[in-house]
């Protein structure tokens, strides 16, 4: 049994390993990432032929001194005030990118809400529940996973709240 787990880990990212270990149904989508593209999320949506409302970006913010993950559609922006409220705080700012990378174990543009080095409080935008499946980063640029919003919320213990804006 230990060999099988080791083999899975060597063949995937921490996000896909976490999904497999949890027995969650998901699909992996890979595409050729263009480092000069101005938006990782919009690039992913276009490459996969998926509406930007169904592709969600993972952002790390500082809510009253605690790092918090926000998962919002790439078609919009994060409302920091709404995030702070949903996370039970008063003030939110974007986290330092280097700190976000060190804490999650992922690089910017490839941060996944799943399989993070240190599990952070997570807030998923309420718009996710309007879709049967959504796409989030699988842990590296050019790699996405498609799964149900409820599975994502369950695995990350996410609060679901309206934290995105157009």
């Amino acid at each position: 049994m230990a060999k099988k787990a080791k083999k899975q880990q060597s063949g995937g990212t921490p996000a896909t390993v976490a999904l497999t270990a949890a027995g969650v149904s998901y699909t992996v989508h890979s595409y050729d990432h263009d480092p000069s593209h101005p938006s990782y999320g919009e690039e992913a949506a276009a490459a996969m032929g998926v509406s930007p409302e169904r592709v969600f970006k993972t952002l790390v913010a500082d809510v009253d001194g605690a790092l918090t993950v926000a998962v919002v559609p790439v078609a919009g922006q994060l409302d920091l005030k709404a995030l702070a409220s949903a996370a039970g705080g008063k003030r939110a700012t974007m986290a330092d990118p280097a700190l976000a990378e060190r804490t999650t174990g992922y690089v910017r543009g490839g941060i996944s809400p799943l399989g993070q080095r240190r599990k952070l409080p997570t807030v998923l935008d309420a718009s996710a529940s309007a879709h049967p499946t959504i796409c989030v980063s699988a842990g590296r640029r050019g790699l996405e996973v498609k799964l149900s919003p409820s599975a994502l919320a369950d695995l990350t213990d996410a609060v679901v709240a309206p934290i995105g804006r157009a």
Side-chain angles (χ1 to χ4, degrees):
M1 187 77 163
K3 275 189 171 184
K4 187 176 181 183
K6 191 173 188 180
K7 185 177 181 184
Q8 286 176 342
Q9 194 160 13
S10 67
T13 66
T16 59
V17 169
L19 287 164
T20 300
V24 170
S25 176
Y26 68 96
T27 306
V28 175
H29 295 274
S30 65
Y31 60 92
D32 291 327
H33 167 63
D34 176 4
S36 67
H37 200 284
S39 168
Y40 297 122
E42 289 176 9
E43 175 192 29
M48 294 185 302
V50 175
S51 164
E53 288 78 22
R54 287 190 48 220
V55 179
F56 283 64
K57 56 189 169 187
T58 306
L59 303 171
V60 181
D62 180 314
V63 178
D64 295 341
L67 291 181
T68 303
V69 172
V71 185
V72 295
V74 301
Q77 295 181 342
L78 171 62
D79 181 335
L80 288 167
K81 195 171 194 174
L83 173 64
S85 177
K90 294 183 181 191
R91 185 171 183 270
T93 58
M94 293 307 297
D96 173 67
L99 178 60
E101 289 179 344
R102 275 194 315 274
T103 305
T104 64
Y106 294 117
V107 297
R108 193 171 58 152
I111 293 178
S112 177
L114 301 157
Q116 296 176 356
R117 183 176 289 152
R118 190 178 88 194
K119 189 174 182 178
L120 298 172
T122 301
V123 181
L124 174 61
D125 186 63
S127 69
S129 37
H131 308 287
T133 58
I134 60 171
C135 299
V136 297
S137 175
R140 70 174 185 251
R141 296 172 189 155
L143 195 65
E144 296 277 314
V145 290
K146 180 169 66 173
L147 73 166
S148 75
S150 60
L152 178 63
D154 289 347
L155 284 173
T156 59
D157 296 321
V159 169
V160 178
I163 59 167
R165 63 175 184 224

